[in-house]
Amino acid sequence: MNSHVLIAGAGIGGLTAALSLHAVGIGVTVVDSVREIRPLGVGINLQPQAVGVLTELGLGDALAAVAIPTAEHRYADSRGEPMFADPRGLARGYRWPQYSIHRGELQMLLLDAVRERLGADAVRTGNRVERFIQTEEEVRVRVTDRATGAASVLSAGLLVGADGLHSTVRAALHPEQGPLLWSGVRMWRGVLETERFVTGRSAVIATDGPRPDGKHDAQFLAYPISRPADDRGRSLLNWVALVIVAEPGPLDPAAADWNAPARPEDVLPHFEGWRIGGRSVHDLVTGSELLLRYPMVDRDPLPRWGEGRVTLLGDAAHPMYPVGANGATQAVIDAGVLAERLAAADDPRTALAAYETERREATTRIVEASRHMHASAHSGERAIDAITSAYRAATGG
């Protein structure tokens, strides 16, 4: 029987899955449609559970050398006046820290580890998955070389769709999946280097004043993401602006582009006079060399992920709002559980079923909790505090 695993997608989830499967003795090839994997994106967070998975893969020291161990979330109003604080990671008693890190830097760290441990050819870029068929013994995946247009068929014992929000594998498994669901929130993100931000270990979340109905229209959060900058007494600061601009509803997938550029003048009218962590929001936005925009979207949880020898992982399986900073974390946890179940079972199809049962139930709770947390984040201090606690109970974070 073919025991090799083919992973579609060389993002954080796909690369962690490759390392996790290799660690239990399972052969892996990763394919990705991009021709060159580059350190794109802005800051993300890894919750302690994910840091534990990566530490067990031998990446703890590498993470500590580049990431910031976030110790607290501080909540404030738009003038910068404090509301309350919430300890995070080691400060909350977890075994591992919560890390804030540049997404591209984490991806490159994982990519380097995969190529070092699995070989230079373990990740094949410029190969787009087109379709697949299953037999009793294997999965046959048709891929197209984007440079030449040549098509080929790759055979594997299993196919893991870790190909993100616009997953080809998910679309083939679930042609009835329906549209992306937009919360009505537009998000902007930027990165810039500044003087050390607050304690250097703090994330600050600012919320505007309530409307007559008690709701809020905008939030702005910022946190440092680079240990090397911190070692120089500086902060590489990641900021996120969130504004309600429409009613929730379906969204054309073409509008969900994580790397769409934006302009400061798109953001600034929503945050006139705002301050965060002792800094002017105006200065943070205008001082950023990179500025991106995208909608806050998710999808309804699936009743099942895969079928037979094919499954999903990360955003392909369970896209969620970023309000709980759990997207990358859950992809990493998916990868660890997938490897554990495959290592423990004789029949890989049984292993995939066990993996899906465990992770689908857990991630469905988090998708729902993220929606609830998003709704509460625009409802004032008491609601934010209460729902933050409820979210932590639902996610284990």
Side-chain angles (χ1 to χ4, degrees):
M1 182 185 69
N2 190 337
S3 60
H4 201 82
V5 176
L6 182 66
I7 298 174
I12 291 167
L15 293 172
T16 304
L19 292 170
S20 299
L21 292 167
H22 174 75
V24 298
I26 297 173
V28 184
T29 298
V30 182
V31 296
D32 198 290
S33 63
V34 300
R35 296 181 183 180
E36 179 186 1
I37 298 174
R38 295 180 291 151
L40 300 176
V42 283
I44 61 171
N45 287 274
L46 287 175
Q47 303 299 334
Q49 303 96 315
V51 175
V53 173
L54 296 175
T55 300
E56 290 174 4
L57 289 170
L59 299 173
D61 290 344
L63 280 171
V66 297
I68 291 292
T70 302
E72 64 173 356
H73 285 184
R74 294 187 179 187
Y75 293 83
D77 64 21
S78 62
R79 301 180 304 278
E81 295 296 322
M83 294 163 59
F84 66 97
D86 183 29
R88 309 297 296 179
L90 296 175
R92 197 170 189 89
Y94 287 101
R95 180 180 174 185
W96 301 284
Q98 172 181 319
Y99 278 135
S100 298
I101 186 172
H102 191 287
R103 183 198 177 280
E105 189 153 16
L106 175 59
Q107 185 179 16
M108 299 309 292
L109 184 156
L110 294 168
L111 178 63
D112 290 345
V114 169
R115 286 176 168 162
E116 177 184 345
R117 299 178 191 184
L118 282 69
D121 295 331
V123 179
R124 303 180 187 179
T125 57
N127 282 268
R128 182 173 56 236
V129 171
E130 302 288 355
R131 57 182 180 270
F132 58 86
I133 59 171
Q134 297 191 58
T135 70
E136 185 65 22
E137 296 295 326
E138 63 182 8
V139 185
R140 296 171 185 164
V141 184
R142 180 184 172 90
V143 300
T144 299
D145 186 315
R146 293 185 61 195
T148 66
S152 60
V153 175
L154 304 178
S155 296
L158 301 173
L159 172 63
V160 177
D163 46 344
L165 182 68
H166 303 297
S167 169
T168 299
V169 179
R170 175 176 172 137
L173 289 165
H174 301 280
E176 77 295 342
Q177 66 178 326
L180 290 172
L181 300 176
W182 184 29
S183 65
V185 170
R186 182 167 296 144
M187 304 177 68
W188 293 271
R189 305 191 73 163
V191 178
L192 74 162
E193 186 170 307
T194 72
E195 297 177 358
R196 179 170 283 151
F197 185 69
V198 194
T199 66
R201 302 288 183 273
S202 303
V204 182
I205 299 96
T207 306
D208 63 349
R211 304 180 312 210
D213 62 3
K215 299 289 185 178
H216 299 253
D217 287 319
Q219 283 189 308
F220 195 96
L221 57 146
Y223 52 90
I225 58 173
S226 170
R227 180 62 181 270
D230 186 74
D231 289 343
R232 301 193 310 270
R234 307 277 289 172
S235 287
L236 183 64
L237 196 65
N238 179 85
W239 60 261
V240 187
L242 305 91
V243 178
I244 298 175
V245 298
E247 292 297 319
L251 185 71
D252 183 340
D257 179 0
W258 287 177
N259 294 303
R263 306 169 301 166
E265 52 265 37
D266 299 330
V267 188
L268 292 175
H270 303 285
F271 297 96
E272 185 175 352
W274 281 50
R275 296 187 64 80
I276 187 167
R279 313 293 169 85
S280 160
V281 166
H282 177 278
D283 292 347
L284 296 182
V285 173
T286 57
S288 300
E289 293 184 8
L290 174 69
L291 207 164
L292 306 175
R293 63 169 172 81
Y294 49 89
M296 181 191 287
V297 298
D298 67 3
R299 291 188 187 274
D300 284 334
L302 293 167
R304 61 176 178 83
W305 286 356
E307 181 180 293
R309 295 180 175 275
V310 183
T311 192
L312 302 173
L313 184 148
D315 282 349
H318 45 71
M320 59 187 64
Y321 291 166
V323 292
N326 239 298
T329 289
Q330 296 308 313
V332 169
I333 295 173
D334 286 351
V337 172
L338 176 65
E340 290 175 2
R341 297 296 165 262
L342 284 170
D346 293 329
D347 184 346
R349 290 166 294 188
T350 301
L352 292 191
Y355 153 74
E356 287 190 15
T357 296
E358 179 176 344
R359 293 302 299 148
R360 188 172 55 80
E361 293 176 358
T363 55
T364 293
R365 289 195 300 270
I366 296 171
V367 169
E368 294 170 349
S370 295
R371 290 175 174 178
H372 195 193
M373 189 176 184
H374 160 62
S376 75
H378 300 277
S379 302
E381 176 179 347
R382 289 187 178 181
I384 294 171
D385 193 15
I387 299 300
T388 297
S389 299
Y391 182 85
R392 186 180 299 113
T395 64

